[in-house]
Amino acid sequence: MAYFIEPGFIIFIFCYMGYIFSLCSFCRKYLDNPGQDKKVFAALVFLSELFISVINSSRHIPYIIFKIISYILTAILVFTGFSDNAAKKFSATVILITIKTLVLNFGCSFASCIVLSVSILAGGNVSGILEGAENLVSAFSYMLVILVFGILIKSPYNIFNGKIKGWYFTMSVPLIFVVLIMDIVNWGASNGIVVSAGRTGGYGIYYNQVYSEAAICILALLSACIAGGFVYGMDKIYTKQRQNEWYYAQNEFYKMLTKQYMQMDRLQHDMKNHLLSLYGLLENKELKKALAYLENMFETGNILPGSEITGNKVIDILIYNKKKQAGQDNIRMECIICIPKNCIITGFDLCVIFGNILDNAINACKKIQDSSYKFISIECQKVKKCLILAARNGTIIKDIKKIKKGTGFYNINETVKKYNGTVNIKIENNIFEISILLPVYTADIT
């Protein structure tokens, strides 16, 4: 006895497996530090989706219970499969559910409208979609989900990067309401509550079904546009706010450095008097008082014996502060910096570049356990008509894309582009390297 497998079912299985693969890829891109092997995670996703499908096919389980079970399973997969913070995983779960709910509803309703309309035009007398056509409708819907996931996976845009916990919850709440509305509509459709076209007799039930599917299709499309626009807008607002906060912080930091620079100038201006005081203390053999007096001078001018002389006093103070900060965390820091006096790069922009490089390096070294990698090396010198800066530090990060998406690298890159310069970064053997080339005698600054 030969068994015939309906072609639509084969297409549906193929698309369904593609959907599971794309879901796993989406999770692994946007969620860091996987707690499970990717094959194990894919297998768990497949089993959970299979379980959801079995529940969905059962007529004894109410629609609302089925949806709650499916959402709980999705949350369990995300929370157990990754080791990010709970707020980020909660947000990722909500976005996964939103994409699946809205895209599947749109795809199923759109394809159903097409199939039913073709049946009407062909003069059919069927009160619903045939079994073979149902498989094709489902396959089409999952293809759309794969397409959406694929676009998000390939996109460099990352809404999960560098957000605070409050942002994740604020962004998730409206999406939950959108999904809830869509589920209520589906619950109504599953209980025979459909949008009526007001047509009776003949193909009235047919027209009513087409009308109902079209209404769900439009609702799903509008909901998807609203949800996508809301998430994109929230991210833009957050990014703009962070940039404004960064600019304010950098400006205040620059003012602080300028103030310290003025203190150094005053110290140098009063150096003759200081030397006379020191001479008197030493002549009276009051060594402790002389030492305390020297330390007070160093602290007032924010300098230490052996401090780096870069050619820019504001950068001198910045390097001193960062070196002191690194020393508190047992991080070795070496600096060889020479900035030309006629450099066209402003002191503020130099602070942005050096400050962000050193802040990122210090933060990276803090996370390292191996003391041999807790180091920072930074060199800067003029070569012909360019200023070349090279910095190296230990790191536990292996994905260079994660660094490029960080606020620190963005600030550096934007400042370098202002002077028509270039930035290159690489990670090799747990060593992060950044090299910057800046034309210092070019007048055409954008």
Side-chain angles (χ1 to χ4, degrees):
M1 182 176 179
Y3 291 94
F4 175 73
I5 300 177
E6 201 274 319
F9 179 74
I10 297 175
I11 296 173
F12 165 73
I13 292 297
F14 179 78
C15 293
Y16 194 73
M17 295 302 295
Y19 153 73
I20 291 175
F21 175 78
S22 62
L23 186 150
C24 293
S25 300
F26 175 85
C27 289
R28 294 187 69 83
K29 175 184 176 179
Y30 289 100
L31 293 171
D32 300 326
N33 303 321
Q36 296 171 341
D37 182 81
K38 59 182 179 180
K39 293 180 180 178
V40 175
F41 181 71
L44 290 174
V45 171
F46 173 75
L47 291 174
S48 65
E49 290 289 337
L50 183 64
F51 180 68
I52 291 171
S53 299
V54 172
I55 294 176
N56 190 29
S57 63
S58 174
R59 297 182 179 180
H60 303 291
I61 298 177
Y63 176 80
I64 192 67
I65 300 299
F66 155 69
K67 296 304 293 184
I68 291 173
I69 292 173
S70 66
Y71 295 158
I72 290 174
L73 283 175
T74 303
I76 290 173
L77 282 172
V78 173
F79 274 77
T80 58
F82 299 89
S83 55
D84 278 302
N85 65 74
K88 185 176 180 181
K89 289 190 283 189
F90 175 77
S91 179
T93 302
V94 171
I95 287 180
L96 280 174
I97 291 171
T98 304
I99 292 173
K100 183 179 178 181
T101 300
L102 298 181
V103 177
L104 282 182
N105 273 279
F106 171 78
C108 286
S109 298
F110 181 81
S112 297
C113 286
I114 299 298
V115 173
L116 290 167
S117 299
V118 170
S119 297
I120 293 174
L121 293 174
N125 190 19
V126 185
S127 60
I129 300 175
L130 295 174
E131 184 178 349
E134 281 186 351
N135 287 327
L136 291 176
V137 167
S138 298
F140 171 77
S141 303
Y142 279 105
M143 284 178 64
L144 288 182
V145 179
I146 294 170
L147 178 62
V148 172
F149 277 143
I151 293 172
L152 294 174
I153 291 167
K154 294 294 182 182
S155 173
Y157 181 68
N158 188 348
I159 61 170
F160 294 106
N161 186 54
K163 303 297 191 303
I164 59 175
K165 292 182 179 180
W167 184 91
Y168 292 120
F169 289 117
T170 304
M171 188 268 296
S172 300
V173 171
L175 298 184
I176 292 172
F177 279 107
V178 169
V179 172
L180 182 61
I181 291 170
M182 205 70 234
D183 283 341
I184 291 172
V185 172
N186 284 327
W187 172 81
S190 66
N191 284 273
I193 304 172
V194 296
V195 180
S196 175
R199 189 181 180 92
T200 58
Y203 300 118
I205 189 172
Y206 234 168
Y207 282 98
N208 285 341
Q209 192 171 355
V210 172
Y211 200 70
S212 179
E213 293 289 358
I216 295 174
C217 178
I218 294 171
L219 176 62
L221 181 60
L222 289 175
S223 298
C225 292
I226 292 170
F230 173 76
V231 173
Y232 180 78
M234 281 282 292
D235 182 70
K236 283 295 181 184
I237 292 171
Y238 182 86
T239 302
K240 187 67 177 176
Q241 185 179 4
R242 285 292 301 273
Q243 288 176 356
N244 291 338
E245 291 174 354
W246 163 80
Y247 182 83
Y248 177 78
Q250 291 285 350
N251 195 39
E252 290 299 311
F253 183 66
Y254 183 72
K255 288 179 180 178
M256 182 269 291
L257 291 181
T258 304
K259 183 179 178 181
Q260 292 184 354
Y261 168 71
M262 292 173 65
Q263 288 177 342
M264 288 177 65
D265 268 359
R266 288 199 300 270
L267 181 65
Q268 290 177 352
H269 182 267
D270 296 334
M271 188 60 70
K272 180 180 178 180
N273 295 327
H274 290 309
L275 288 175
L276 288 173
S277 299
L278 277 172
Y279 181 80
L281 291 171
L282 292 172
E283 190 177 35
N284 294 326
K285 297 182 180 181
E286 298 182 77
L287 297 180
K288 289 185 178 180
K289 289 184 178 181
L291 183 60
Y293 195 95
L294 274 173
E295 288 177 352
N296 186 45
M297 287 176 61
F298 292 146
E299 199 63 36
T300 302
N302 229 337
I303 55 173
L304 281 177
S307 290
E308 288 75 18
I309 304 300
T310 67
N312 185 300
K313 291 186 178 180
V314 174
I315 299 302
D316 286 345
I317 300 169
L318 173 67
I319 297 298
Y320 164 73
N321 280 283
K322 297 302 178 184
K323 195 166 187 178
K324 186 166 65 171
Q325 183 182 344
Q328 291 171 353
D329 293 299
N330 298 318
I331 300 169
R332 302 184 308 280
M333 183 170 163
E334 298 178 357
C335 299
I336 304 174
I337 299 173
C338 182
I339 298 172
K341 292 183 180 180
N342 56 347
C343 181
I344 62 171
I345 304 169
T346 66
F348 180 82
D349 289 333
L350 285 171
C351 280
V352 171
I353 295 170
F354 281 96
N356 279 285
I357 288 175
L358 293 173
D359 283 341
N360 290 345
I362 291 171
N363 289 333
C365 289
K366 283 181 180 179
K367 301 174 183 178
I368 299 173
Q369 300 296 328
D370 188 347
S371 60
S372 61
Y373 285 97
K374 293 174 75 72
F375 76 93
I376 300 170
S377 171
I378 183 166
E379 297 183 19
C380 181
Q381 60 181 329
K382 181 176 71 71
V383 178
K384 295 185 178 179
K385 294 184 178 181
C386 292
L387 190 68
I388 298 177
L389 189 156
R392 301 169 70 248
N393 61 267
T395 182
I396 59 173
I397 298 174
K398 301 192 181 294
D399 186 3
I400 203 167
K401 293 180 181 178
K402 189 181 296 184
I403 294 174
K404 287 185 176 181
K405 293 171 184 174
T407 304
F409 179 78
Y410 174 84
N411 297 339
I412 295 168
N413 200 41
E414 289 299 304
T415 306
V416 170
K417 284 198 299 185
K418 178 180 175 182
Y419 295 91
N420 300 316
T422 59
V423 181
N424 291 299
I425 61 174
K426 70 175 182 178
I427 298 175
E428 189 174 333
N429 299 325
N430 294 328
I431 303 295
F432 169 76
E433 296 184 21
I434 180 169
S435 57
I436 296 173
L437 187 146
L438 286 163
V440 290
Y441 297 103
T442 305
D444 55 334
I445 302 173
T446 57

